[in-house]
Every structure is written in structure tokens, then in C-alpha cells.
Amino acid sequence: MNIPFLGRRRDSPPVRDPEGLAELLSECELLRSQASRAGVQLDDSAASLEALDQLLPRWRDDAEVLPWLGNDAGLYLGTVIVRTVPGAVWEISPDDEPVVRLASGREFDVVTSGHEWAASGVPELSQRYAEVAEV
């Protein structure tokens, strides 16, 4: 997921406004819309990840929606991690991809996890969250 409007280049300094980055990445408009239509309230909690895991995956039949929903699912997973796991923060990788860095220094590629979930449902978002939260 290349986010060129963030303006990061290899020779430029990293994004210096972590709160602004977190706000931008937490929008997840398509996922929030799909969830709302299904009666699921996304409140940035681990419980909301479990609710997403229970949705019927109607989007899998729409090749145009699937990648966008996968991005949103990954960004939402990252949002929940950053807001609930102490020391977790958003960073932009050298490849201009959003990743979550844990207090331990481990990076977590949430967008890839979101794409896997959107395409097949495996691994579940709540399962990924549990793996990260226990580290």
C-alpha cells in the first residue's frame, strides 16, 4: 500500500506526527461502511475484531472491492493494536508501507494480514491481534 501523499522519500526524514499518521490510517471508510451495514459497530476494540471475523464475506465475489477492503481490514487491525497494546506505534517502512512497531521492536505487517483475511478469512483478525497482544 503506497501512500504517496505522505511525502516520504528514502532521503527525507520519517513522518514526525505519529498522532496525525494514526488518525489518517484509522479511517478505514470502506470497512466501517460494510461493517455498519451488517450491524457491526467498529469501536477500535479487540471485541470488534471478533465481530468482523463473524461477518459473511460477501465482498469476496467483488474483485474490485476485495483489495480495498483488505487494506482497510489491515489498517483497522493496526489501529486496534496501536490503541490497545502498550508501546505499539504506527511507522512507515522503507517500502512506504504502514506497519505497526511493538515496544519489543518487532514490526507487524498489518496490511498483508488484512488482505489474507479479506481473501480467505484466515487468519482471523482477532487471532492476529491475540498473537501480537501477547508478545
Side-chain angles (χ1 to χ4, degrees):
M1 178 179 153
N2 187 354
I3 307 176
F5 58 85
L6 287 177
R8 174 130 197 251
R9 297 176 192 236
R10 299 210 191 285
D11 58 345
S12 66
V15 174
R16 300 219 186 272
D17 180 11
E19 290 175 14
L21 180 61
E23 183 178 330
L24 175 68
L25 296 177
S26 71
E27 288 180 3
C28 314
E29 189 174 327
L30 178 62
L31 181 69
R32 290 182 189 278
S33 172
Q34 294 267 339
S36 178
R37 277 188 251 144
V40 173
Q41 175 67 28
L42 298 185
D43 60 2
D44 302 343
S45 70
S48 66
L49 294 172
E50 292 173 11
L52 282 173
D53 289 337
Q54 301 305 312
L55 290 179
L56 290 175
R58 300 176 201 275
W59 58 83
R60 290 190 189 135
D61 296 332
D62 189 337
E64 203 169 296
V65 169
L66 185 64
W68 290 101
L69 194 72
N71 275 337
D72 276 10
L75 296 176
Y76 184 71
L77 171 61
T79 295
V80 173
I81 292 168
V82 167
R83 292 189 176 163
T84 62
V85 175
V89 295
W90 281 110
E91 289 191 358
I92 302 299
S93 75
D95 297 328
D96 291 331
E97 298 291 330
V99 297
V100 172
R101 180 176 298 277
L102 304 176
S104 67
R106 180 175 166 223
E107 283 187 359
F108 188 66
D109 181 354
V110 291
V111 173
T112 296
S113 294
H115 281 282
E116 292 169 349
W117 174 82
S120 68
V122 178
E124 293 181 332
L125 297 174
S126 60
Q127 178 185 352
R128 282 288 194 205
Y129 174 82
E131 291 170 6
V132 172
E134 23 176 87
V135 172

